[in-house]
């Protein structure tokens, strides 16, 4: 999957499941900054914006929804 690291995959699954970067950080035991950094790295590698981020949380884009099914299916044990 474009050389995403295990940490980046965990972040994608956590953000998708938690609905926000800060909540994903809490689930993963990471700071919001660390989650944002991993998310940006994953988006650069994937060549697409995967989540719209704002005050209301993080919403998967169409690209994010199509790509989140793969890590979520293969990394279900990472879901909190």
């Amino acid at each position: 999957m474009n050389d995403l690291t295990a940490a980046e995959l965990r972040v994608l699954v956590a953000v998708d499941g938690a609905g926000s970067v800060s909540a994903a950080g809490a689930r993963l035991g990471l700071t919001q900054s660390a989650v944002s950094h991993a998310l940006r790295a994953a988006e650069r590698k994937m060549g697409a914006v995967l989540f719209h981020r704002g005050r209301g949380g993080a919403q998967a884009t169409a690209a994010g929804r199509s790509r989140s099914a793969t890590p979520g299916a293969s990394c279900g044990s990472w879901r909190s």
Side-chain angles (χ1 to χ4, degrees), residues 7 17 41 45 72 75:
K45 289 178 182 180
C75 306

Side-chain angles (χ1 to χ4, degrees), residues 10-20 23-24 27 51 58 60 68 79-80:
R10 281 192 294 273
V11 164
L12 291 177
V13 172
V15 172
D16 187 44
S20 78
R27 287 184 178 188
F51 291 91
S68 68
R79 291 183 188 267
S80 301

Side-chain angles (χ1 to χ4, degrees), residues 20-44:
S20 78
V21 173
S22 58
R27 287 184 178 188
L28 295 171
L30 299 171
T31 64
Q32 176 272 332
S33 178
V35 173
S36 291
H37 184 269
L39 186 54
R40 282 191 306 272
E43 288 176 326
R44 275 192 308 273

